[in-house]
Amino acid sequence: MSRPHRWADRLLKLPGGRKGKWLTLITWLIIVVASVPLAGQLSEIAKDELTIELPRGAESTDVAGLADRFADGKISLGIVVYVRESGLTAEDKAKVASDIKEFATVAAGEVGPARPSGDGKALTAFVPLDKEDSTALADNAEKVRNRATSGRPDGLEARLTGPAGNSLDAADARESTGRALTLITVLVVAALLLITYRSAILWLLPLLTVGVAFLTTQAVSYLLAKGFGLTVGGGNEIVVTALLFGVGTDYAMLLLARYREELRVHEDRHEAMQTAVRRAVPAIAASAATVSIGLLCLTQADVGFNYTLGPAGGIAIICGLAAMTTLFPAVLVILGRWVFWPNVPRAGVAVRNANHRLWDRVGGRISRRPRLVWIGSALVLTVLALGSLGLKTGLDDEHLIVGKPGSIAGQELLADHYPAGQSRPAEVISKAEAAPAVAAALKGIDGVAEVAAPEKSTDGTLASTRAVLKDSPDSAAAARTADRIRAAVHAVPGADAQVGGPTAMAQEKTEAQAHDRKVVIPLVLAVVFLILVVLLRALVAPLLLMATVVLSYFAALGISWQLFQHVLGFPAVDIQVMLIGFLFLVALGVDYNIFLIHRIREEVGLRGHRAGVLSGLTSTGGVITSAGAVLAATFAALTTAPQVAFIEIGVVVAVGVLIDTFLVRSVLVPALALDVGRTFWWPGRPVGAGTAPPAAGEQTTPAAVPAGSRGGGI
């Protein structure tokens, strides 16, 4: 054995060793103690979500980044709109005047008189709030909202909208989502683990280990942000949480299954764990590498949410891998066999349960007509994929959040009684000396309702000119107006004008998301394919496996689009869902490919191709199915979020994982492997664990336990 392999073997043995288990546990206790204060500081350095999610290098992003150079750049404007459809009364006007006096106590500037609408049915108050402290902004915005909505005369409607109202609703949604998602995820995973293992204690250990991995992820993210400038955004924490809990629990289940298998071979639990780690961790590590490297492909994305999700997700996967392959086995060995009670595995006692019989039957039926099976499976997936025909992308403001938040209702009231773009104007930043010409150009544009006087930056070099659009900022008409604005202001000599505001942001996010799909999706496919080639030392198998994963993704998209339209009532798919859904399903789908094919490859080397494929399917069918159910349930928990984008991501990934688990990995891939035969491994040749010289104390004779009866490990 070469020196690098000898060191790797020693590291793999460490968590399961008699002394190594305690050293591993102590090391992790130190890590946890150090991580607690660091993780607590992560939220303090998280960047503003709006700024982070904007496309890198876009005009609207530059405009948002220049806000601090203006006097109102540290201001988030709250717009309170009061409406009585039958016409405002004297009592209504007195209520508004009283509110304005109260608003002044939390405002960061002057609160002017309420602005009446032309029809006499509405009054609008503009309340500037300090946005430097996000917590204080949320608190003050809530005070404004509470004051406006309390003590109203009957029939008077009051809503807080504008940037401050939008921020408050978004903060409320994030807070409720974070709490609910974590709780639901823990409960769902706990229930599925309890059902799977039917043990009073065992179900708790993967959850505790994932919790340690989550804490470590936050601490590492904080250190990288402080020391190396890693951009941390609060918006992707929800997705990262679901990913870590799902994948981390999967890794635990796969290692646990192999450990239980080896406990039926070895009297000494330390030897059993060392063998289990040595045989299972390479596949788990390859899986983690696939997911984390796939996520890091997002660093080539332009959209800020995608760009920051890549490193955040990669860090989570690596921390999950470290915890599940070191801390988890160490704890299992320390606690001993009794953690499996009442189903304690004993050496030399073969167990052949209903799970094994089920997968034996599945394998037997597939093996009779493998070509018919894989063609039929592929046709089913193709039919499901047809459901994505007519898919629409891009949600309007009304459908970004389930229900109707106050800020959206306020925007609708403004649109009914004022120019539709009143709450979210377009903004043009130019050189100060060109501001009059820019303002003049804006006034002559069709679709612009009014143009405010230019505001100079604090250093006097720049000017900001805001234009209220006639149409709703998220409408197609507003987008056409934004195009006309760009053409007009870019033509102003010497202005160096840049166009921002909600409409421009939405346009540029859509364009950037299209760019990301064109760049990231081929990159992910190439990276995952190369990892499979290296792992399997083959070309045919990786090509076939990649084809099944892509087909599975489109089938999931087809089912999900039908659910969105006809069950959930969503008119379109959020622009981020296509890319994030693809990335997760390809990376996680390849996960199960790796778990299955790694074991099949081992069994083929021992038993021959046909018997090896069937034995590998029988050995892994139960654990992969259980792991897939846990992962799907974890992402399904995202459907409890109020944000439609997270709901859609959760549905697409959960549906895709279920398709991958119960059809692709259980039927299609084994059928392909059987039909293609040994060419499946071309140009390599599978070598089973039994053909290598056994390590000290390791029993490799497959006859020790009947084929298919070793507990379902990878």
Side-chain angles (χ1 to χ4, degrees):
M1 181 180 293
S2 67
R3 185 176 298 276
H5 288 170
R6 191 159 56 240
W7 275 106
D9 190 55
R10 288 177 181 174
L11 287 173
L12 289 176
K13 286 183 177 180
L14 185 64
R18 298 180 187 278
K19 295 181 180 179
K21 62 186 179 185
W22 295 109
L23 178 61
T24 302
L25 180 61
I26 292 170
T27 300
W28 273 103
L29 288 175
I30 294 172
I31 291 173
V32 168
V33 170
S35 296
V36 170
L38 297 175
Q41 300 177 66
L42 183 64
S43 61
E44 299 175 6
I45 61 173
K47 302 292 186 182
D48 177 71
E49 187 176 352
L50 173 62
T51 304
I52 282 212
E53 290 192 357
L54 294 179
R56 298 184 298 153
E59 273 192 43
S60 58
T61 306
D62 292 340
V63 169
L66 291 170
D68 288 343
R69 295 182 60 178
F70 293 84
D72 64 354
K74 299 178 181 179
I75 296 299
S76 181
L77 188 63
I79 302 176
V80 185
V81 55
Y82 301 84
V83 173
R84 183 185 290 275
E85 294 300 339
S86 60
L88 294 168
T89 65
E91 188 181 6
D92 296 338
K93 294 175 182 177
K95 157 68 174 170
V96 175
S98 175
D99 285 354
I100 287 176
K101 290 180 181 179
E102 291 297 322
F103 296 159
T105 62
V106 297
E110 181 182 357
V111 181
R115 177 183 174 184
S117 63
D119 58 10
K121 297 179 181 180
L123 284 170
T124 302
F126 295 87
V127 187
L129 298 174
D130 189 345
K131 71 176 183 181
E132 284 196 292
D133 185 337
S134 58
T135 302
L137 171 60
D139 290 342
N140 289 332
E142 188 170 12
K143 290 176 182 177
V144 170
R145 182 175 65 186
N146 291 342
R147 172 66 189 184
T149 55
S150 63
R152 289 172 291 151
D154 290 342
L156 178 67
E157 190 170 1
R159 298 286 185 177
L160 171 65
T161 185
N166 294 335
S167 296
L168 179 59
D169 285 340
D172 289 345
R174 284 197 304 271
E175 185 177 356
S176 63
T177 299
R179 289 196 304 264
L181 177 66
T182 302
L183 177 61
I184 291 171
T185 300
V186 169
L187 292 176
V188 166
V189 172
L192 288 173
L193 289 173
L194 193 58
I195 293 170
T196 300
Y197 295 112
R198 296 184 295 279
S199 167
I201 298 296
L202 191 57
W203 64 272
L204 188 59
L205 300 182
L207 282 177
L208 291 176
T209 310
V210 171
V212 170
F214 182 71
L215 182 68
T216 308
T217 297
Q218 292 185 309
V220 171
S221 298
Y222 174 79
L223 291 174
L224 291 176
K226 293 294 286 186
F228 299 93
L230 175 72
T231 302
V232 177
N236 51 41
E237 183 179 346
I238 295 170
V239 177
V240 171
T241 299
L243 178 67
L244 178 57
F245 269 85
V247 172
T249 305
D250 274 7
Y251 294 163
M253 294 178 74
L254 294 161
L255 178 61
L256 192 57
R258 193 66 186 246
Y259 175 50
R260 185 169 55 179
E261 176 182 334
E262 297 301 332
L263 284 173
R264 296 193 178 107
V265 177
H266 300 274
E267 289 284 354
D268 188 334
R269 67 181 188 275
H270 299 88
E271 293 180 6
M273 179 57 77
Q274 288 175 341
T275 303
V277 168
R278 186 164 54 252
R279 289 181 171 175
V281 166
I284 294 174
S287 163
T290 302
V291 179
S292 57
I293 294 174
L295 282 164
L296 289 176
C297 291
L298 287 174
T299 57
Q300 302 304 306
D302 281 348
V303 175
F305 178 88
N306 300 337
Y307 178 77
T308 57
L309 177 62
I315 292 169
I317 294 298
I318 292 171
C319 290
L321 173 68
M324 288 304 170
T325 56
T326 56
L327 175 61
F328 186 58
V331 171
L332 284 172
V333 173
I334 289 171
L335 293 177
R337 294 176 187 258
W338 71 270
V339 297
F340 290 93
W341 183 87
N343 302 307
V344 180
R346 303 294 182 186
V349 179
V351 176
R352 193 162 185 82
N353 56 33
N355 228 355
H356 301 135
R357 290 193 294 271
L358 170 65
W359 291 104
D360 272 345
R361 288 197 297 271
V362 171
R365 292 184 179 182
I366 292 173
S367 65
R368 293 187 193 117
R369 294 184 177 180
R371 182 167 301 175
L372 181 63
V373 169
W374 77 255
I375 291 176
S377 300
L379 286 175
V380 169
L381 292 173
T382 302
V383 171
L384 294 176
L386 294 176
S388 63
L389 294 176
L391 184 145
K392 299 176 182 177
T393 58
L395 293 167
D396 56 24
D397 291 344
E398 185 179 351
H399 293 93
L400 291 176
I401 296 178
V402 174
K404 186 175 289 186
S407 58
I408 299 299
Q411 288 174 21
E412 292 179 355
L413 291 176
L414 282 174
D416 289 340
H417 301 280
Y418 298 88
Q422 180 75 52
S423 64
R424 296 182 298 162
E427 182 178 10
V428 179
I429 290 184
S430 64
K431 289 185 177 179
E433 59 271 20
V438 169
L442 289 171
K443 290 177 181 177
I445 295 174
D446 181 31
V448 173
E450 56 186 81
V451 179
E455 175 197 354
K456 284 191 176 183
S457 61
T458 52
D459 62 6
T461 60
L462 299 175
S464 172
T465 308
R466 291 183 172 86
V468 175
L469 307 185
K470 292 179 180 178
D471 302 292
S472 176
D474 62 343
S475 66
R480 291 190 292 270
T481 302
D483 290 336
R484 290 192 289 270
I485 288 175
R486 286 194 193 89
V489 300
H490 288 170
V492 176
D496 291 341
Q498 294 179 298
V499 180
T503 304
M505 288 179 185
Q507 284 180 302
E508 291 180 331
K509 281 183 71 173
T510 300
E511 293 169 1
Q513 197 68 248
H515 162 273
D516 291 354
R517 289 195 294 269
K518 292 177 182 177
V519 172
V520 175
I521 287 178
L523 186 59
V524 169
L525 290 173
V527 166
V528 171
F529 174 73
L530 289 175
I531 291 174
L532 286 174
V533 168
V534 171
L535 178 68
L536 302 178
R537 295 187 287 280
L539 288 176
V540 174
L543 284 171
L544 294 175
L545 296 176
M546 292 301 297
T548 66
V549 168
V550 173
L551 187 56
S552 174
Y553 164 72
F554 282 106
L557 200 60
I559 295 176
S560 300
W561 175 233
Q562 297 305 311
L563 289 174
F564 296 156
Q565 290 183 98
H566 304 300
V567 178
L568 298 175
F570 300 152
V573 174
D574 187 85
I575 58 174
Q576 294 178 159
V577 171
M578 300 284 286
L579 176 59
I580 301 303
F582 179 87
L583 173 64
F584 282 171
L585 285 181
V586 168
L588 297 174
V590 168
D591 260 12
Y592 296 124
N593 270 319
I594 289 173
F595 300 145
L596 172 64
I597 299 301
H598 183 269
R599 185 56 182 263
I600 285 179
R601 192 174 188 277
E602 179 181 326
E603 296 292 337
V604 166
L606 290 168
R607 309 171 189 276
H609 182 76
R610 184 180 183 279
V613 171
L614 297 178
S615 177
L617 174 62
T618 299
S619 298
T620 62
V623 66
I624 288 181
T625 301
S626 299
V630 169
L631 186 61
T634 303
F635 273 93
L638 286 175
T639 59
T640 62
Q643 297 98 324
V644 172
F646 290 143
I647 294 174
E648 292 183 337
I649 289 173
V651 170
V652 170
V653 177
V655 169
V657 168
L658 291 176
I659 291 173
D660 216 60
T661 301
F662 291 99
L663 179 58
V664 175
R665 221 54 53 221
S666 304
V667 178
L668 177 57
V669 169
L672 275 171
L674 288 170
D675 189 36
V676 174
R678 286 191 169 274
T679 305
F680 189 76
W681 310 104
W682 185 88
R685 178 183 176 186
V687 177
T691 64
E698 179 183 347
Q699 180 177 346
T700 59
T701 305
V705 178
S709 67
R710 302 178 66 182
I714 60 172

